[in-house]
Amino acid sequence: MSEDKVYSSDLSYPKEEVTKCLIYRLFGQVPARLVLYLLSWSGFLVSFMMRTDINLAIVAMVEEPPQAVTNTSQEYCFVIDDSNSSTAVDYGGTLKWSAGVQSYILASFYWAYIISQVVGGLATQKLGTKRVFGYAQLVTAMCSLCIPWASETHYGLVIALRFVQGFASGLTWPAMYALVGHWIPVPERSRFMSSFQGFSIGIGVTYPLCGFLIAHLGWRSVFYTTGSIGVLWCGIWYLLAFDSPEMHPRISLREQQYIKENTVNTYAATRKQRVPWKAILTSPHAWSIGVTTFGRIWVHYTFIIPGPKYMKSILGFSIEKNGLLSGAPFICSYIASVFFCYIADKLVTKNIMSLTNVRKLMTALSQVVPGLLVLLISYLGCDIDLVLVVWFLAVTLITASYAGAMANVVDIAPNFAGPVLAFAQTIHMSASFLSPLAAFQMLNEQEHLMSAWRMVFYVTAFVSVSTYVTFQIWGTSEIQPWNYTDGVSNDKEDKLEREELMTEKPDVVVANGKSDDTVA
């Protein structure tokens, strides 16, 4: 079967002989949207395993630098021995990489990640999500398998591999966003967006897994494990992923009808449309999404990248405890993302709040509150239990953005969600390398001093809170005129259609007289 073929919209199966296959008859009982949700969820989980494994592994790879002895116990939270000298945790690293080299290795992933955002939007528009997402994951996995060899050869090779990984991973977000408009009915979109939070599970699983592997098998096993998982996932994706309902070989007629009646665009049509880049680049609404999520990414990556270093240098945790406590908040954040997306849908469908106000509320929860909590951490000193509680809460709230500004990408341009996301990601993902670079610069080889970390938290709080203002002013859920092929929209009809799709219904009646109440 050709992946480029788009089947007719007469709701007939694309191949009659396929439906006679026992496997397809068995799995045909599973809603295709549920399969897509699980593929999206697991895809981002695996992607972030390969992306974040080095964040914890590097603290065990690198030789512990000599420390100046100080008697200022207030600067430390780990145990002071009987000689009154501070003893930090040594994970037994052997690589002699300076703090500057480490920061470039950690940041190099995101240099190319930003470059590839627009490429991902364009590639998805031409090739489809299945190819772009699948090949991107495969390249990332192969690079992970090569990192142990590169680390022992020269750090420049590690930077190059991370650069390639970053470019490939940057293609995944625009690719998956583009799929939402073709597959997911409007009332289900916030809930489907929670599948993107598979990345939270990926981070949450990776850190404790890395801690265990490093403690028992050495740091090299981390990259062999995550790379192998990535290759295995690519095989599953190839077998189960399809670019549109019209191309799916086992989707039920009932589900295909339901999707068709509750989405406003088709895969075939959008592949022929030209991306209105000028309109996107001059849209204050698109800019507001990019700028406000810049602040969210900044605070998020403060936890993701310098976070394990803080756990080691200030809190003095072992490698296994470091991995567990660095990753656990991200498990909580996934559960929270499902809750936030569900609440967002209910606030709209029950007419409690407008869609625009829901997006703004969730965006404020995702970065204003975490920004203030980060500021609080800097004043909690060595009350480790309270620090961890606030840390967990901040990371958990960050995920509300997926019912806020991130979901707003599909709101304003369902036909061009991929390109709009690419534009917004180009802006906000610059924070993913600026945040750790700024942190390492402010620490200035003094990561064992609490006063140095306090400055990192001050800057993080300021960036997170201040960037939200743009979304409060220009954020909107209205579909933009440039979303349409001819550049002209019928505002009255669009508004009525959106209201109808967002209205909660007890049953969705389809052609065969049955109802479909399945959600992704």
Side-chain angles (χ1 to χ4, degrees), residues 197 331-342 396-397 399-400:
Q197 283 299 308
I331 301 291
C332 297
S333 70
Y334 171 73
I335 299 172
S337 73
V338 177
F339 171 77
F340 286 131
C341 291
Y342 175 79
T396 299
L397 288 173
T399 58

Side-chain angles (χ1 to χ4, degrees), residues 218-261:
W219 62 264
R220 294 167 189 80
S221 64
V222 168
F223 302 101
Y224 295 140
T225 300
T226 58
S228 299
I229 292 173
V231 172
L232 177 62
W233 182 90
C234 288
I236 297 172
W237 171 262
Y238 176 78
L239 294 174
L240 299 180
F242 298 91
D243 285 319
S244 73
E246 292 86 357
M247 295 175 65
H248 203 293
R250 64 160 187 81
I251 188 171
S252 69
L253 304 185
R254 183 173 62 176
E255 184 178 13
Q256 193 179 20
Q257 176 77 57
Y258 174 60
I259 294 171
K260 183 178 181 180
E261 290 180 349

Side-chain angles (χ1 to χ4, degrees), residues 478-497:
E478 295 297 321
I479 297 180
Q480 299 303 295
W482 42 265
N483 176 70
Y484 303 91
T485 307
D486 57 6
V488 179
S489 67
N490 187 322
D491 293 334
K492 188 172 293 186
E493 288 184 7
D494 292 334
K495 188 174 182 179
L496 289 173
E497 181 177 22

Side-chain angles (χ1 to χ4, degrees), residues 170-416:
L171 305 176
T172 59
W173 287 91
M176 190 57 71
Y177 259 83
L179 211 62
V180 175
H182 312 310
W183 268 99
I184 308 303
V186 174
E188 298 178 6
R189 283 181 182 169
S190 289
R191 277 167 283 180
F192 185 84
M193 298 298 287
S194 68
S195 71
F196 291 25
Q197 283 299 308
F199 85 79
S200 296
I201 299 294
I203 298 171
V205 168
T206 301
Y207 282 141
L209 176 64
C210 288
F212 175 83
L213 290 173
I214 292 168
H216 297 279
L217 299 174
W219 62 264
R220 294 167 189 80
S221 64
V222 168
F223 302 101
Y224 295 140
T225 300
T226 58
S228 299
I229 292 173
V231 172
L232 177 62
W233 182 90
C234 288
I236 297 172
W237 171 262
Y238 176 78
L239 294 174
L240 299 180
F242 298 91
D243 285 319
S244 73
E246 292 86 357
M247 295 175 65
H248 203 293
R250 64 160 187 81
I251 188 171
S252 69
L253 304 185
R254 183 173 62 176
E255 184 178 13
Q256 193 179 20
Q257 176 77 57
Y258 174 60
I259 294 171
K260 183 178 181 180
E261 290 180 349
N262 289 275
T263 53
V264 294
N265 62 307
T266 65
Y267 176 73
T270 55
R271 287 190 72 178
K272 297 176 182 177
Q273 294 177 354
R274 296 184 62 182
V275 179
W277 284 113
K278 182 178 179 181
I280 294 174
L281 293 173
T282 56
S283 170
H285 311 299
W287 274 95
S288 70
I289 295 173
V291 172
T292 194
T293 50
F294 177 93
R296 179 184 64 83
I297 293 295
W298 188 288
V299 67
H300 203 192
Y301 276 77
T302 297
F303 289 112
I304 291 176
I305 297 182
K309 180 73 73 174
Y310 178 86
M311 294 281 190
K312 172 189 176 183
S313 303
I314 296 298
L315 304 184
F317 292 152
S318 68
I319 187 65
E320 287 187 270
K321 191 173 183 180
N322 190 334
L324 179 62
L325 293 176
S326 293
F330 293 96
I331 301 291
C332 297
S333 70
Y334 171 73
I335 299 172
S337 73
V338 177
F339 171 77
F340 286 131
C341 291
Y342 175 79
I343 292 298
D345 279 344
K346 289 301 178 183
L347 288 174
V348 174
T349 57
K350 292 185 177 296
N351 295 317
I352 298 173
M353 296 178 68
S354 69
L355 184 58
T356 296
N357 286 335
V358 167
R359 298 305 187 213
K360 290 181 179 180
L361 172 63
M362 293 299 172
T363 303
L365 284 175
S366 72
Q367 59 188 87
V368 175
V369 179
L372 297 176
L373 291 176
V374 165
L375 196 60
L376 178 61
I377 290 174
S378 67
Y379 288 102
L380 292 178
C382 293
D383 190 341
I384 295 179
D385 291 338
L386 191 54
V387 166
L388 291 177
V389 169
V390 175
W391 189 290
F392 272 51
L393 182 58
V395 173
T396 299
L397 288 173
I398 287 171
T399 58
S401 179
Y402 285 85
M406 295 302 289
N408 192 231
V409 170
V410 183
D411 293 334
I412 67 172
N415 288 352
F416 297 104

